[in-house]
Amino acid sequence: MGEAPSVGRRCQLMSFAVHVICGRWFSLFASFLIMAGAGATYLFGVYSKEIKATLEYDQTTLNLLGFFKDLGANVGVLSGLIAEVTPTWFVLLIGSAMNFAGYFMIWLAVTSKISRPAIWQMCFYICIGANSQNFANTGALVTSVKNFPESRGIMLGLLKGFTGLSGAILTQIYLAVYGNDSKALILLIAWLPAALSVVFVYTIREMKVVRQTNELKIFYQFLYVSIVLALFIMVMTIVQKLVAFSQAAYAGSATVVCALLFLPLFIAIGEEFALWSQNKQPLINPPRITIDKPTEVLPVGLKPEREKQVGGSKMKSCLANIFKKPERGEDYTILQALLSTDMLILFIATLCGLGSSLTAVDNLGQIGESLGYPTKTIKSFVSLLSIWNYFGRVFSGFVSETLLAKYKFPRPLMMTIVLLLSCIGLLLIAFPFQGSVYVASVIIGFSFGAQLPLLFAIISELFGLKYYSTLFNCGQLASPLGSYILNVKVTGPLYDREALRELAKKGMTRSSVKELTCIGARCYRLAFLILASVTFFGALSSLILVVRTQEFYRGDIYKKFRDEAEESETKNS
């Protein structure tokens, strides 16, 4: 007789476990972890010196490599199109394979385990590795936004915030596992993010939206955890600079970081338990996971696909409506959105803003070197940038959502303010003084981080969620183009020109040295004056979008999502 209750309890525990794993909140926790491993591109400033020294590259060649990194990281149209026709788990698996293949080949090259690759091969490897983060973004970020459509600004801020922290998180883990070995960092970047995507591959999927009155409160709990994580990493970064850490101390620091990363799991379990208890059902038949047909249950705001039309007439209708655009906030087709004036303005602002910020991030290691900072301090710059990248992302997500809800403050105006702030950080590098790179790292990291959630949220609000997987990836295409122009064609050649001038003063030529290095404040002055000017132009461009969309943002942009959620709840009841 005593065994029956225990069997029942085990069945209920099993039912609850299945409920948690199948729930929206556990899916969101899994997305946090995947996004926390999807920011390996921000560590380029740490290991780029190893590539430059081992493979004997000059700064222009290194910046070319940096451009292909940015190209891969920002050209996510392929992942978006794949996500339109395949389930989320397939998108995540592709990203996992690409991440490992790309970075593992770079590690083999840097450690001389394979013969020295040609420059085009290294560019291909880093482009493939960096492009994998778009598959993580599309799989985790887009799915989460569709699962929580009324909190998209907050959702984007949190998820991109974890990506912003990714560089600092991976740095703490690699110091604990491999010690102070920059080459080993490349190996960690290869296997850890890939493993995370594989582990959580089936838990992230689109689900039916259920409105919860305490949703905002839960998001703030996630925010507080992430802030504690960011502050702890920042303190550890400063302490590790001042005090010589043993391997055990690094291991202790990494353990705390991992514990804080898993703390949102308990929040998710608590919320799922509340929902499970509220249903008052034993869940004998647990929720069915739809893998092969993820579009069967559509999130709020997405219309079910109508009966298929004949291919020819459907294409004709699509082409006929390219320039007959719906109202802002309704679902645009991909071509309608891409050919709109609003998207063109966003493209220009992104090219100027993110292009300049990416250039600054990629050159941060060489900036510190040119100004005479030791290697350990340069790594602190990169960690500071990563941490404040996080603060910029959560700030722009939470604050812009709050200002929009309470005061109808348009998100494009927030982007203008962020771009003006970025100009200040760039000028601090153009005219350096003692400790200015610390301040510049904070400002550039914050403004760089703030731009992405704003861009993604604006695209979702203006053009709808139906084709969001593709549109948000198209929206950041301007970033690698800006990086190519400003990094490869402007900053790299100007740096090399200053370095050659220094060699000429010493009576030497390029062939006299193995590595072309410039030392002094003039190395980056002209380049960063140009970057600041370009960013200011981007801020002026975004002001045009503010004027064009002011009426739209004065309205209730989430009304249709609430109405459809209430209609769905009424039908279910």
Side-chain angles (χ1 to χ4, degrees), residues 46 130 229 293 543:
V46 175
L229 174 62
K293 296 181 181 178
L543 270 178

Side-chain angles (χ1 to χ4, degrees), residues 377-437:
T377 303
I378 293 171
K379 291 180 180 178
S380 298
F381 293 154
V382 176
S383 288
L384 278 175
L385 187 141
S386 179
I387 292 163
W388 284 93
N389 189 342
Y390 154 80
F391 281 117
R393 292 171 188 231
V394 296
F395 176 88
S396 67
F398 277 81
V399 173
S400 69
E401 192 74 30
T402 302
L403 292 176
L404 177 64
K406 289 187 176 181
Y407 308 108
K408 306 298 182 183
F409 190 90
R411 260 190 251 268
L413 184 56
M414 177 71 77
M415 177 173 280
T416 303
I417 296 170
V418 166
L419 290 176
L420 292 174
L421 178 64
S422 181
C423 292
I424 298 173
L426 296 169
L427 289 172
L428 285 175
I429 293 177
F431 301 100
F433 52 85
Q434 186 174 5
S436 66
V437 184

Side-chain angles (χ1 to χ4, degrees), residues 4-27:
S6 63
V7 171
R9 280 194 296 271
R10 283 198 297 270
C11 289
Q12 287 220 334
L13 284 174
M14 183 63 68
S15 297
F16 175 62
V18 172
H19 173 76
V20 169
I21 294 173
C22 295
R24 281 197 308 166
W25 295 106
F26 185 83
S27 175

